[in-house]
Amino acid sequence: MADLLPSMLLALWDDQDMHCQHHASGACRSCSLLDTPYPEQIAHKQGKARALLDQTPGMTALDWLNPQASASTGFRTSAKLVVGGTRRRPTLGILGPDRRGVDLPGCPIQHPAINAAAPALKRFIRALDLAPYDVPTKKGELKYILLTVGTDDALMCRFVLRTRDRLTDIRRALPELHRLIPGLAVVSANIHPTHEAIVEGPDEIVLTKRRALDLRVGDTDLVLGPRSFVQTNREVSSALYRQAAEWAAAPLPDGRSPETLWDLYCGVGGFALHAARAGIPRVTGVEVSEQAIASAIRAAHTAGLNRDAARFVCGDASAWAKDQDPDARPDVLVVNPPRRGIGPELAQWVEHSGIPRVVYSSCNAASLASDLRAMPSYRGDRARLFDMFPHTPHTETCILLSRGS
């Protein structure tokens, strides 16, 4: 299948072969496709997504654009580091088969700023005598360190702790942490007391004066709070936002320019703000996270957009959409749901909404196909695969839908 891809892109990808000592030694198998040449990886992913959608009514005539490839290394701008080992010899990486920490120094898929910060974070753990959390015994204090790279390689660092017992010590030691990591911008502590598979708990305490990380994604300056979702691959997500905005702002079938857009599951506003920049006069974003909405509002203000031009609402996407006046429904709907998809309830609402254009961005082609089967009034015009997660089976598929007559 690789020979179906443009030769220029294949040449680029062939130059991106990656060697990882952790994969070679068997210490980490997170990049399960690393032994497969990258052109074959992306061709297989597109073929799988295409096969799923080809079986869906209304999707057989999709125009598949060239896939958006990723850099092979250094692409991961957000990282969840499992803290393991001991107070004197902490590890930062993943959980191994024995449910204890595996150290992954210099992980090649992580952004250089994340890898550069890891040794300093180990020194900080040793200096504070912080006990790494041990999953088998359910003892210890520090569970994870979550790092995100922002504009100019500034860092946000979140310590996920079992209790509040060491908060004062961490706060007092912040000057030393800033000395160890000069690019550190935002530091917070997340309190996660329960022994669960989820990464973080409900309580977040920001420990620095700066409470949010500036993040340039595509053509928009976003603002990221500690608990706001952001894609882990900034370069590919930039291409995704630009593509979605281009599709959203194109003239409608009746020749009109779109005037209104709703972005459901909007996160910190990436799709909505790019659509506003592309020329749609009024955009509305809906997201259940209060902090994400606060970040989106701040980003809109930074972009010079007033509330009439860019409105962001905290609420459940499905419930909010159903509560709106049918006469106020938009020209364009953007949905970017979690892996489960939008589900039958919202899919049925879209089916009966009369909205002429839908842009659906999905991280799970199976749930995308299921949702599309519940929306038979829409036909697929274009689709494009965005490889957010090289060396793994995961992808992002964006599809442009038009309502049939």
Side-chain angles (χ1 to χ4, degrees):
M1 295 180 69
D3 57 358
L4 299 177
L5 300 174
S7 58
M8 181 178 68
L9 292 180
L10 288 178
L12 169 65
W13 291 331
D14 285 342
D15 289 340
Q16 293 185 342
D17 289 342
M18 182 182 88
H19 174 75
C20 175
Q21 61 178 347
H22 308 302
H23 180 85
S25 69
C28 176
R29 290 290 175 171
S30 298
C31 294
S32 59
L33 302 182
L34 191 57
D35 294 327
T36 302
Y38 188 52
E40 294 181 22
Q41 290 181 32
I42 202 166
H44 177 74
K45 291 179 186 183
Q46 176 151 311
K48 186 175 180 180
R50 188 167 187 166
L52 275 169
L53 294 181
D54 279 350
Q55 301 171 27
T56 305
M59 301 299 128
T60 54
L62 271 173
D63 177 18
W64 283 84
L65 305 185
N66 289 332
Q68 174 62 53
S70 170
S72 185
T73 62
F75 59 82
R76 194 173 183 93
T77 49
S78 292
K80 176 193 76 175
L81 303 179
V82 175
V83 183
T86 65
R87 288 178 170 91
R88 303 310 304 162
R89 299 188 66 182
T91 63
L92 296 176
I94 60 171
L95 280 180
D98 61 355
R99 310 301 293 163
R100 288 192 161 90
V102 175
D103 201 32
L104 300 177
C107 171
I109 68 169
Q110 290 178 170
H111 190 282
I114 292 175
N115 286 333
L121 288 166
K122 290 179 181 178
R123 290 182 61 183
F124 188 72
I125 292 168
R126 288 194 291 268
L128 265 67
D129 199 31
L130 278 170
Y133 185 73
D134 184 72
V135 174
T137 63
K138 302 181 183 180
K139 294 180 179 179
E141 183 60 34
L142 181 57
K143 294 185 172 184
Y144 302 97
I145 296 177
L146 311 180
L147 294 174
T148 302
V149 184
T151 302
D152 296 327
D153 290 352
L155 280 173
M156 177 162 62
C157 174
R158 302 172 62 206
F159 294 99
V160 180
L161 305 165
R162 188 169 64 89
T163 70
R164 295 173 176 261
D165 293 350
R166 302 301 304 274
L167 269 180
T168 300
D169 297 331
I170 293 173
R171 196 188 301 270
R172 287 173 177 167
L174 282 182
E176 175 64 11
L177 186 59
H178 280 287
R179 187 187 70 79
L180 291 170
I181 309 175
L184 197 59
V186 181
V187 181
S188 70
N190 179 273
I191 310 304
H192 183 12
T194 57
H195 184 79
E196 296 176 344
I198 58 174
V199 175
E200 59 189 72
D203 298 326
E204 191 90 20
I205 302 99
V206 180
L207 304 175
T208 49
K209 289 183 179 179
R210 283 189 60 176
R211 304 184 64 84
L213 185 70
D214 295 330
L215 194 67
R216 180 74 179 180
V217 183
D219 304 316
T220 303
D221 292 312
L222 302 179
V223 181
L224 188 69
R227 301 195 69 193
S228 299
F229 170 78
V230 66
Q231 297 281 6
T232 62
N233 190 324
R234 189 192 310 160
E235 291 305 313
V236 176
S237 60
S238 295
L240 171 63
Y241 290 148
R242 288 172 176 143
Q243 182 68 83
E246 178 186 324
W247 286 347
L252 296 165
D254 62 6
R256 293 185 301 115
S257 294
E259 295 186 358
T260 55
L261 175 144
W262 291 355
D263 177 6
L264 305 185
Y265 310 96
C266 72
V268 294
F271 285 102
L273 293 171
H274 273 78
R277 183 179 176 86
I280 297 183
R282 296 186 299 281
V283 301
T284 300
V286 183
E287 167 63 47
V288 73
S289 166
E290 292 183 7
Q291 187 172 99
I293 289 298
S295 296
I297 291 171
R298 181 173 167 185
H301 178 75
T302 300
L305 300 170
N306 62 31
R307 200 174 190 279
D308 290 334
R311 182 168 70 108
F312 291 96
V313 180
C314 183
D316 174 80
S318 182
W320 182 88
K322 291 191 301 179
D323 285 345
Q324 304 311 299
D325 185 336
D327 292 335
R329 288 172 183 172
D331 294 322
V332 182
L333 177 69
V334 176
V335 290
N336 180 35
R339 286 190 60 80
R340 65 178 181 272
I342 64 175
E345 186 177 357
L346 185 54
Q348 277 296 300
W349 178 88
V350 176
E351 168 65 15
H352 298 291
S353 68
I355 297 171
R357 174 176 294 161
V358 175
V359 179
Y360 191 137
S361 183
S362 169
C363 60
N364 182 355
S367 62
L368 169 62
S370 176
D371 289 336
L372 293 176
R373 285 192 289 271
M375 299 160 51
S377 296
Y378 288 88
R379 68 174 186 273
D381 294 331
R382 296 188 181 91
R384 191 177 185 192
L385 182 126
F386 293 83
D387 196 21
M388 294 278 188
F389 314 101
H391 319 307
T392 78
H394 305 295
T395 61
E396 189 86 12
T397 304
C398 195
I399 183 169
L400 172 64
L401 306 168
S402 297
R403 192 170 185 87
S405 59

